[in-house]
Amino acid sequence: MDKEITRLLNKAGLSDKDSESATKYIEDLIEGLKILRTYAQGVTIFGSARIPENHKYYKAARELGQELAKAGRTVITGGGPGIMEAANRGAFEYGGRSVGLNITLPHEQFPNPYLTDTMTFRYFFARKTMLINGSCAYVFFPGGYGTLDELSETIILMQEGKIPVQPVFFYGKDYWKPLIKFFEARLLKNNMIKKKDLKLFVLTDDIHEIVNAVKKLPYATIDDEITDHFKSV
């Protein structure tokens, strides 16, 4: 594999620096796919790393992680603190599979202690690919720029048919309503999106609505070709 990668990079006429960067990109993706193949298709939970343990959203994410584990679903997060820790914690405490796909950052991001499986990525794009490809549903708790980035990418991949349309939940009505209003008043009104695009997600405050929807989904096991369900992301 390494020799083939080197051959392709040399054939492309890249500089040594570009080749080194490209090799690191490939390594991130390969290692990500390797860990993706070790767990059954689960539910990815996104949200802020800055939310403390005593916050209502932390408590809700912890409950969701536990309920998904009870339903036999792998819980997948970015592996850090805050909402990610809460969801992993709920799954871990129940005895379920708790996956954390971490990333190297100068602040905030460190692996939480409630992981059964973990990997640390160099690059956001590789990490997001695995967070999306390994799941049959997605839940977005309140968060900042990182969560908005993940939210937008997940929805655009569905909108453009790059991945199957699967359940997407925005948890926390008070938090997300202004964003939905922006979608309606600016994006839809100015023909930047279509009305049907607003149906790609569900706004909720109900943990059980999420769990019940997930329970109705087909269950993809480790042996299933999970990544074959996805086109190029």
Side-chain angles (χ1 to χ4, degrees), residues 24 55 81 86 90 96 111-112 121 144 167 194 219:
K24 290 179 180 178
H55 198 284
N112 68 65
F121 290 82
K194 297 180 179 179
Y219 188 84

Side-chain angles (χ1 to χ4, degrees), residues 160-171:
E160 297 300 330
K162 292 293 187 178
I163 63 173
V165 174
Q166 302 189 109
V168 175
F169 294 93
F170 294 0
Y171 183 89

Side-chain angles (χ1 to χ4, degrees), residues 8-186:
L8 291 172
L9 294 175
N10 290 337
K11 184 178 179 181
L14 297 178
S15 68
D16 289 343
K17 187 175 181 180
D18 286 340
S19 294
E20 183 181 348
S21 295
T23 299
K24 290 179 180 178
Y25 301 154
I26 295 167
E27 287 174 350
D28 244 20
L29 290 168
I30 289 173
E31 291 304 311
L33 287 170
K34 281 169 64 177
I35 193 171
L36 188 70
R37 291 295 188 183
T38 67
Y39 58 81
Q41 195 176 40
V43 177
T44 298
I45 300 172
F46 302 90
S48 176
R50 304 184 183 191
I51 290 179
E53 184 177 359
N54 62 354
H55 198 284
K56 66 177 182 178
Y57 291 137
Y58 184 104
K59 295 175 182 177
R62 183 177 176 184
E63 180 185 354
L64 177 59
Q66 182 181 67
E67 291 301 318
L68 289 171
K70 287 181 181 178
R73 295 288 182 170
T74 300
V75 171
I76 307 160
T77 79
I83 291 297
M84 295 172 281
E85 175 186 293
N88 285 135
R89 183 176 180 179
F92 185 87
E93 290 174 335
Y94 183 75
R97 197 80 180 264
S98 177
V99 177
L101 303 182
N102 216 287
I103 189 165
T104 303
L105 292 177
H107 58 86
E108 292 182 356
Q109 194 75 5
F110 51 87
N112 68 65
Y114 303 104
L115 303 173
T116 58
D117 306 84
T118 186
M119 175 184 167
T120 299
F121 290 82
R122 293 189 186 98
Y123 303 104
F124 274 115
F125 79 90
R127 178 181 182 239
K128 285 190 292 183
T129 297
M130 302 310 150
L131 284 168
I132 293 171
N133 276 20
S135 290
C136 60
Y138 313 93
V139 184
F140 292 90
F141 277 79
Y145 286 148
T147 304
L148 289 173
D149 173 52
E150 292 154 343
L151 180 156
S152 297
E153 180 150 354
T154 302
I155 292 176
I156 188 62
L157 289 172
M158 291 185 185
Q159 183 194 48
E160 297 300 330
K162 292 293 187 178
I163 63 173
V165 174
Q166 302 189 109
V168 175
F169 294 93
F170 294 0
Y171 183 89
K173 289 183 177 181
D174 289 343
Y175 189 86
W176 291 117
K177 272 183 180 178
L179 180 64
I180 308 307
K181 289 186 179 296
F182 173 78
F183 289 171
E184 295 169 342
R186 291 292 181 267

